[in-house]
Amino acid sequence: MSWDVLLVRLPDEVTSVSQMAHDYQPAPLGPRHDVLATVAGVLPGADLSDPAWGVLSGPTWSVELSIGAADPVDSMMLHIRGRVTRC
């Protein structure tokens, strides 16, 4: 099973994608060094040896963090993969 999740900065009043203007341009997530420091602080197990493409792995799942090389960081894509087990 896999999911792709796009992280962007949205106005507080937006609670659904349908409320966003078609031409909405989100503010950056922040300066590159701040975004990387936040990711490292929240996900201490993340491998950020390639600061443009982080990886976090567990026994049955992985998350690839597509941060990119831009400064400031406009968005981040999470590529989430996991094995579904039946109980």
Side-chain angles (χ1 to χ4, degrees), residues 6-11 20-30 72-76:
L6 177 64
L7 302 179
V8 295
R9 188 175 302 279
L10 296 175
M20 293 173 47
H22 178 69
D23 58 350
Y24 176 72
Q25 293 293 319
L29 295 177
V73 176
D74 292 323
S75 63
M76 187 183 314

Side-chain angles (χ1 to χ4, degrees), residues 1-4 7 13 27 36 41 44-45 49 55 74 77 82 84:
M1 176 98 24
S2 66
W3 302 268
D4 291 327
L7 302 179
E13 65 274 5
L36 291 170
S49 56
V55 177
D74 292 323
M77 181 69 81
V84 177

Side-chain angles (χ1 to χ4, degrees), residues 36-49 53-58 61-65:
L36 291 170
T38 298
V39 170
V42 174
L43 302 170
D47 176 357
L48 297 172
S49 56
W53 192 266
V55 177
L56 182 64
S57 296
W61 55 270
S62 68
V63 179
E64 295 175 340
L65 301 97

